[in-house]
Amino acid sequence: MNLLQDDWAEELKADPNAIILDVRTEEEYNEAHIPNSILLDYYRGQDFIDDLNELDRDKSYYVYCRTGNRSGQTCAIMNQLGFENAYNLVGGIEQWEGEIES
Protein backbone atom coordinates (compact mmCIF):
# COMPACT_ATOMS: atom_id res chain seq x y z
CA MET A 1 0.00 0.00 0.00
CA ASN A 2 1.29 3.43 -0.93
CA LEU A 3 1.16 6.01 1.85
CA LEU A 4 1.99 9.69 1.72
CA GLN A 5 4.60 10.88 4.20
CA ASP A 6 2.23 12.05 6.96
CA ASP A 7 0.13 8.88 6.82
CA TRP A 8 3.23 6.65 6.69
CA ALA A 9 4.72 8.41 9.73
CA GLU A 10 1.44 8.33 11.69
CA GLU A 11 0.79 4.64 11.02
CA LEU A 12 4.40 3.79 11.82
CA LYS A 13 4.19 5.60 15.16
CA ALA A 14 0.91 3.91 16.12
CA ASP A 15 1.90 0.40 15.03
CA PRO A 16 3.42 -1.79 17.79
CA ASN A 17 4.48 -4.35 15.14
CA ALA A 18 6.27 -1.83 12.92
CA ILE A 19 9.59 -2.54 11.25
CA ILE A 20 11.22 0.01 8.94
CA LEU A 21 12.95 -1.37 5.85
CA ASP A 22 15.39 0.66 3.78
CA VAL A 23 15.77 -1.03 0.39
CA ARG A 24 18.52 1.22 -0.96
CA THR A 25 22.19 0.34 -1.35
CA GLU A 26 24.57 0.25 1.61
CA GLU A 27 26.25 3.39 0.29
CA GLU A 28 22.94 5.26 0.17
CA TYR A 29 22.02 3.98 3.64
CA ASN A 30 25.33 5.13 5.11
CA GLU A 31 24.82 8.66 3.72
CA ALA A 32 21.46 9.09 5.50
CA HIS A 33 18.64 6.87 6.73
CA ILE A 34 15.52 6.93 8.85
CA PRO A 35 16.37 5.93 12.46
CA ASN A 36 15.91 2.27 13.41
CA SER A 37 15.62 1.16 9.79
CA ILE A 38 16.95 -2.20 8.60
CA LEU A 39 18.90 -2.26 5.35
CA LEU A 40 17.88 -4.83 2.73
CA ASP A 41 19.48 -3.89 -0.61
CA TYR A 42 16.92 -4.27 -3.41
CA TYR A 43 19.70 -4.77 -5.95
CA ARG A 44 20.92 -8.02 -4.33
CA GLY A 45 18.57 -10.06 -6.55
CA GLN A 46 17.74 -13.52 -5.22
CA ASP A 47 19.55 -12.77 -1.95
CA PHE A 48 17.11 -9.88 -1.48
CA ILE A 49 14.14 -12.22 -2.03
CA ASP A 50 15.69 -14.72 0.40
CA ASP A 51 16.09 -11.94 2.99
CA LEU A 52 12.42 -10.96 2.56
CA ASN A 53 11.35 -14.58 3.00
CA GLU A 54 13.12 -14.70 6.36
CA LEU A 55 11.06 -11.79 7.75
CA ASP A 56 8.19 -12.33 10.18
CA ARG A 57 4.93 -12.11 8.22
CA ASP A 58 3.06 -11.09 11.39
CA LYS A 59 4.91 -7.76 11.52
CA SER A 60 4.10 -4.55 9.62
CA TYR A 61 6.78 -3.27 7.24
CA TYR A 62 7.24 0.40 6.46
CA VAL A 63 9.41 0.41 3.35
CA TYR A 64 11.32 3.28 1.79
CA CYS A 65 14.03 3.98 -0.77
CA ARG A 66 15.31 7.14 -2.43
CA THR A 67 12.20 8.12 -4.42
CA GLY A 68 9.59 5.43 -3.72
CA ASN A 69 10.20 3.28 -6.80
CA ARG A 70 12.23 0.39 -5.33
CA SER A 71 10.16 0.44 -2.15
CA GLY A 72 6.93 0.29 -4.17
CA GLN A 73 8.27 -2.72 -6.07
CA THR A 74 9.39 -4.27 -2.77
CA CYS A 75 5.90 -3.92 -1.30
CA ALA A 76 4.44 -5.64 -4.39
CA ILE A 77 6.95 -8.49 -4.01
CA MET A 78 6.17 -8.75 -0.30
CA ASN A 79 2.44 -8.98 -1.07
CA GLN A 80 3.17 -11.82 -3.51
CA LEU A 81 5.19 -13.55 -0.77
CA GLY A 82 2.24 -13.42 1.62
CA PHE A 83 2.96 -10.27 3.63
CA GLU A 84 -0.29 -8.49 4.48
CA ASN A 85 1.16 -5.28 5.91
CA ALA A 86 3.75 -3.64 3.65
CA TYR A 87 3.58 0.14 3.31
CA ASN A 88 5.49 2.15 0.71
CA LEU A 89 6.67 5.68 1.53
CA VAL A 90 5.57 7.71 -1.50
CA GLY A 91 8.39 10.06 -2.55
CA GLY A 92 10.98 8.13 -0.56
CA ILE A 93 13.65 9.61 1.66
CA GLU A 94 14.15 12.48 -0.83
CA GLN A 95 10.83 13.95 0.33
CA TRP A 96 11.03 12.74 3.95
CA GLU A 97 10.72 15.57 6.45
CA GLY A 98 11.14 13.43 9.56
CA GLU A 99 14.24 12.48 11.52
CA ILE A 100 17.36 11.36 9.62
CA GLU A 101 20.57 9.67 10.82
CA SER A 102 23.83 9.56 8.92
Side-chain angles (χ1 to χ4, degrees):
M1 175 187 303
N2 290 321
L3 294 175
L4 297 174
Q5 183 177 153
D6 289 345
D7 296 330
W8 193 87
E10 281 179 30
E11 291 210 22
L12 171 66
K13 192 177 208 178
D15 190 339
N17 290 313
I19 294 177
I20 306 169
L21 294 181
D22 183 324
V23 296
R24 300 173 302 149
T25 64
E26 185 174 358
E27 182 178 295
E28 289 174 303
Y29 181 86
N30 289 337
E31 286 176 12
H33 57 271
I34 295 174
N36 303 312
S37 58
I38 298 169
L39 175 64
L40 290 181
D41 186 344
Y42 178 85
Y43 291 127
R44 291 181 59 231
Q46 186 60 47
D47 288 338
F48 175 70
I49 302 298
D50 293 344
D51 289 343
L52 290 176
N53 270 317
E54 291 179 17
L55 297 174
D56 183 347
R57 283 166 174 71
D58 293 329
K59 300 290 185 184
S60 301
Y61 295 92
Y62 294 81
V63 188
Y64 74 95
C65 63
R66 186 172 55 87
T67 62
N69 186 28
R70 285 174 278 179
S71 52
Q73 292 176 30
T74 297
C75 288
I77 292 167
M78 292 178 81
N79 290 333
Q80 291 173 355
L81 294 173
F83 290 86
E84 294 183 13
N85 300 306
Y87 306 102
N88 176 41
L89 176 59
V90 173
I93 199 167
E94 278 193 349
Q95 294 183 16
W96 180 246
E97 294 176 0
E99 190 177 346
I100 297 277
E101 290 181 350
S102 53

